Amino acid sequence: MAERILLIDDDARLAAMVSEYLGAAGYRVTTAASGASGLERLGAQSYDALVLDLSLPDMDGLEVCRRLRARSDLPVLMLTARGDEEDRIVGLELGADDYLPKPFNPRELLARLNAVLRRRGPDEAPGAPAQDIKSVEFGEFVLDLQTRTLTRSGEPVPLTTGEFAVLKVFARYPRIPLSREKLMEMARGREYEAFDRSLDVQISRLRKLLEPDPSKPRYIQTVWGLGYVFIPDGQS
């Protein structure tokens, strides 16, 4: 069955173009021209991913993302104006999985959307549940790589698809320093770009979820000049 995509964007010409292009690629696309109507559709219908413009007539896309994340881990691909770096960072902090600046090539939109959706898939694409390692325990946490769930003392901890993809890579390569380039490639399915701060934002989000003191991380430690290393026993 074709995967369902909700596009929230008030630009009618862009919405028509995206709908046609994604439709030709096999997706079923529903559109909404405002944040309120988009949230209404999200409450009434199940979707596989959300493509969300940050500039909407009634509420900004950040508010839509905030309300969505309070109830769902649906993958979110943000559309932003090219110069709105701060909005992109805030969107990622609120739980968006990736972003694409406008104007964009429809082929890149399709590639980013495919990458976001693969993280939820059953195979071994970047971020997908692992078949070789079933679960990883660290501190009070248990990360189940088959069910894509994280618990703390038995209580569920919500993760976005992007956060799970990064944490899965760490779990599969404990105590091995990983460069930002390698981590981006394995978790996101694309190359790391020097100006792309999305990976660091997701690391920051994970630290807030996992670390007793995010300013002095025990589990996800920085390797200066390289990237990050996952220490499941919390020791340096």
Side-chain angles (χ1 to χ4, degrees), residues 65-235:
C65 190
R66 182 183 294 109
R67 295 188 188 187
L68 174 65
R69 279 292 171 254
R71 68 192 196 206
S72 171
D73 64 351
L74 181 73
V76 176
L77 174 61
M78 299 186 307
L79 302 178
T80 72
R82 186 168 295 278
D84 293 345
E85 180 183 16
E86 188 61 32
D87 282 346
R88 291 198 293 268
I89 293 172
V90 173
L92 292 165
E93 289 175 340
L94 289 174
D97 294 279
D98 204 352
Y99 66 85
L100 186 60
K102 292 181 177 180
F104 54 82
N105 187 313
R107 292 180 60 186
E108 184 174 5
L109 171 65
L110 179 60
R112 294 287 182 99
L113 183 60
N114 285 339
V116 166
L117 287 166
R118 279 200 303 268
R119 295 173 205 159
R120 295 176 62 119
D123 55 18
E124 276 301 291
Q131 301 300 319
D132 51 350
I133 303 175
K134 294 184 178 180
S135 65
V136 176
E137 297 185 20
F138 56 102
E140 302 174 278
F141 298 93
V142 177
L143 177 68
D144 190 315
L145 299 180
Q146 294 186 316
T147 62
R148 297 182 69 259
T149 57
L150 176 69
T151 57
R152 178 176 185 175
S153 301
E155 295 296 319
V157 178
L159 289 176
T160 68
T161 56
E163 291 161 0
F164 171 79
V166 173
L167 196 52
K168 174 194 167 183
V169 175
F170 281 137
R172 297 186 69 180
Y173 298 94
R175 305 178 188 85
I176 299 176
L178 298 172
S179 68
R180 286 175 171 81
E181 292 80 2
K182 191 64 175 178
L183 187 55
M184 178 71 86
E185 178 186 349
M186 291 191 292
R188 308 290 295 279
R190 62 183 175 89
E191 294 182 356
Y192 174 80
E193 299 165 342
F195 59 83
D196 187 345
R197 298 178 60 185
S198 60
L199 178 62
D200 294 320
V201 172
Q202 287 187 322
I203 295 293
S204 176
R205 281 178 54 85
L206 284 171
R207 283 174 169 168
K208 290 177 182 178
L209 288 173
L210 305 176
E211 303 288 356
D213 182 356
S215 66
K216 299 178 181 178
R218 298 168 51 193
Y219 302 119
I220 302 177
Q221 300 182 13
T222 299
V223 181
W224 296 109
L226 178 67
Y228 301 98
V229 62
F230 177 58
I231 308 294
D233 51 15
Q235 300 177 358

